[in-house]
Amino acid sequence: MEYLKYSIEDSTIAELLGVQNFSNDEAAVLELVKNAYDANALIVTLDFIDKTTLKITDNGDGMDSEDIKKYWMHIGKSNKGYNLIDTNNNVRVQAGAKGVGRFALSRLGKNIQLYSKKMEKDGVVWKTDWNKSTLDSDSSIENKGTCIVINNLREKWTLRRVEKLNKYLEKTYNDTAMKIRIIANEYDEFVRPHFPKPEPGKNCRANIVLKYNKGILSVSLLLDEFDSYEAIKYCPEMDLKTFNSEVNIFDEFEGNEIVEMEGEELASLLEKLGDFSANLLFNLNATKQDKEKFLYKYLSTGESVDSGVILYRNAFSISSFEGEKDWLGLGKRTRKSPAAASHPTGAWRVRENQISGYVLIDKKKI
Ligand SMILES: Nc1ncnc2c1ncn2[C@@H]1O[C@H](COP(=O)(O)OP(=O)(O)OP(=O)(O)O)[C@@H](O)[C@H]1O
Ligand SMILES: [Mg+2]
């Protein structure tokens, strides 16, 4: 018997795993940012040198010639584990898993030069035009880290596009362990955290914090929604500013008409549900009539936060759960139960454009 290995043209891999594999160029840049994060970098700089060249520099661990041959040139196998402690003593859960992310480079440009250096090792330079790749040593590289120069960019990166990239990275990266800097001539900005600190009354009417741990969901709310002087007359027993509760999710779901599951079927589904947390901001713009009718404190809060809920797995969002799509099905729920807030059953549902924030899940610990 003979063992066989596939051999494949470099240009075919580049086309399939790069050009066709990404929905847009921003997502391709994100893949390279993830690699810098995984390499322990404290900062990654995206420098649009001119309309045809992008230079991505990180001060991470870098690669030597062995790493290039063993990992960089090995498709479909990642050498990444679960987490690492970075030089600032922050825990990072590595984002890489598939061993294909670097082909984002082929989506972005036609010629690549990669300069890399590991501590105490000689620097290397790897080049490709997606037909042939070469590796050389390069003694002129002084500091550890990786610098990738993408020439012949396929897209035109105008200033507007660069600003859009910043917004995209702001949404898709949710950590402070590594800074992301974007330069394009005069433009020089760090990517900032997307969500402000929730402050009821300032940027939301309510801040909802959820934590799910082994079957128990704890909920805590901070509210500044109602004119407390007036509203308290109607519900003197209630605390209108805070609410805390803990529910056993099995009891909550059993017999629930939306879940449509019970007993063992429900238990085995919940068994698979990993821990998660969420931090959500509830907001709405009320009309003058509604403000009076529902005893709201404000027509609207001074600042508003982009609507949409982003799903993060550790430091990075999961592609296509970046707030645009109503993946929580809030709209569907509202359409099923379109009652107004004044409805006596209390069956009013939060609208999808009234919630923003994030849900955090963890890459599975093995
Ligand atoms: N900036 C970098 N610094 C150091 N090593 C890197 C860097 N970028 C890539 N590498 C190395 O090249 C390998 C291939 O990267 P690639 O992004 O293709 O795969 P991955 O990150 O392991 O998995 P995924 O496909 O999920 O991103 C990495 O596993 C890592 O060893
Ligand atoms: Mg990667």
Side-chain angles (χ1 to χ4, degrees):
M1 190 177 59
E2 224 182 316
Y3 286 103
L4 301 177
K5 275 271 184 201
Y6 288 106
S7 65
I8 179 165
E9 295 305 307
D10 288 17
S11 56
T12 308
I13 301 168
E15 176 66 25
L16 292 177
L17 297 180
V19 180
Q20 292 185 24
N21 196 27
F22 293 92
S23 50
N24 56 48
D25 282 37
E26 285 77 9
V29 173
L30 177 67
E31 215 49 57
L32 304 165
V33 168
K34 284 183 187 171
N35 281 350
Y37 180 89
D38 289 350
N40 214 350
L42 297 181
I43 179 164
V44 59
T45 306
L46 313 173
D47 189 353
F48 292 88
I49 293 175
D50 54 46
K51 292 228 158 38
T52 58
T53 315
L54 167 61
K55 191 163 105 177
I56 303 178
T57 312
D58 73 57
N59 62 355
D61 295 334
M63 287 178 277
D64 61 11
S65 58
E66 280 302 297
D67 294 332
I68 294 276
K69 290 179 211 160
K70 210 165 146 196
Y71 305 127
W72 184 260
M73 297 302 290
H74 189 162
I75 300 162
K77 187 164 187 287
S78 180
N79 61 327
K80 291 172 185 166
Y82 173 64
N83 62 8
L84 56 83
I85 310 286
D86 72 14
T87 33
N88 282 344
N89 266 336
N90 287 319
V91 179
R92 292 191 197 193
V93 174
Q94 291 184 296
K98 298 193 207 123
V100 298
R102 63 199 172 289
F103 288 100
L105 287 168
S106 80
R107 164 91 192 201
L108 296 170
K110 295 190 187 123
N111 294 85
I112 313 294
Q113 292 143 31
L114 175 143
Y115 303 86
S116 199
K117 184 177 156 23
K118 252 178 142 167
M119 200 87 102
E120 321 264 312
K121 294 282 179 68
D122 288 338
V124 293
V125 51
W126 175 89
K127 292 181 187 168
T128 194
D129 61 2
W130 305 113
N131 286 310
K132 270 199 188 81
S133 304
T134 60
L135 179 64
D136 263 310
S137 59
D138 185 336
S139 55
S140 68
I141 310 172
E142 284 173 12
N143 299 321
K144 78 169 177 85
T146 301
C147 171
I148 305 176
V149 182
I150 308 165
N151 290 306
N152 288 322
L153 287 171
R154 293 180 206 269
E155 291 275 329
K156 255 205 194 120
W157 286 86
T158 57
L159 185 59
R160 245 188 96 230
R161 194 83 200 262
V162 171
E163 284 167 347
K164 206 174 132 217
L165 174 69
N166 192 331
K167 277 269 154 229
Y168 175 79
L169 292 173
E170 185 185 301
K171 279 188 168 188
T172 49
Y173 175 58
N174 183 37
D175 199 356
T176 51
M178 178 182 78
K179 290 198 173 83
I180 308 172
R181 181 179 172 190
I182 306 178
I183 304 174
N185 300 312
E186 305 288 289
Y187 182 95
D188 188 348
E189 301 271 343
F190 282 95
V191 173
R192 292 187 305 192
H194 181 60
F195 293 107
K197 190 172 161 287
E199 289 184 59
K202 190 176 163 202
N203 52 23
C204 59
R205 287 175 191 258
N207 176 213
I208 305 150
V209 177
L210 305 174
K211 284 199 175 81
Y212 179 77
N213 185 258
K214 297 189 182 68
I216 304 293
L217 181 71
S218 69
V219 183
S220 76
L221 261 80
L222 278 181
L223 304 108
D224 189 23
E225 188 173 10
F226 300 104
D227 174 351
S228 30
Y229 182 75
E230 283 299 319
I232 206 74
K233 292 182 192 162
Y234 294 87
C235 38
E237 304 293 313
M238 266 178 87
D239 179 352
L240 295 173
K241 297 267 180 192
T242 55
F243 174 83
N244 293 297
S245 137
E246 256 190 16
V247 289
N248 178 310
I249 210 77
F250 181 86
D251 299 343
E252 182 76 12
F253 280 176
E254 194 164 50
N256 181 308
E257 58 184 53
I258 297 175
V259 182
E260 288 175 350
M261 251 188 247
E262 46 192 9
E264 262 177 38
E265 195 190 356
L266 177 60
S268 79
L269 182 81
L270 291 178
E271 184 85 352
K272 292 188 204 126
L273 180 64
D275 294 347
F276 65 87
S277 63
N279 198 322
L280 305 168
L281 295 96
F282 166 65
N283 220 338
L284 59 82
N285 289 326
T287 59
K288 243 179 131 206
Q289 292 93 308
D290 276 358
K291 180 175 175 290
E292 276 163 31
K293 191 166 164 191
F294 300 120
L295 307 176
Y296 287 142
K297 193 165 167 184
Y298 324 91
L299 286 172
S300 63
T301 47
E303 293 169 19
S304 67
V305 178
D306 266 5
S307 62
V309 179
I310 304 180
L311 177 61
Y312 293 104
R313 190 200 282 122
N314 306 106
F316 294 93
S317 64
I318 296 179
S319 152
S320 78
F321 293 85
E322 280 131 16
E324 283 81 20
K325 251 186 6 199
D326 178 24
W327 58 274
L328 287 167
L330 297 176
K332 197 169 147 206
R333 222 173 62 123
T334 310
R335 287 189 291 279
K336 265 192 173 175
S337 177
S342 54
H343 198 275
T345 60
W348 179 80
R349 303 287 185 222
V350 170
R351 269 75 175 142
E352 61 198 280
N353 62 354
Q354 295 168 342
I355 282 282
S356 56
Y358 59 88
V359 177
L360 200 62
I361 59 172
D362 186 25
K363 189 171 166 182
K364 202 165 180 247
K365 297 178 203 184
I366 300 170

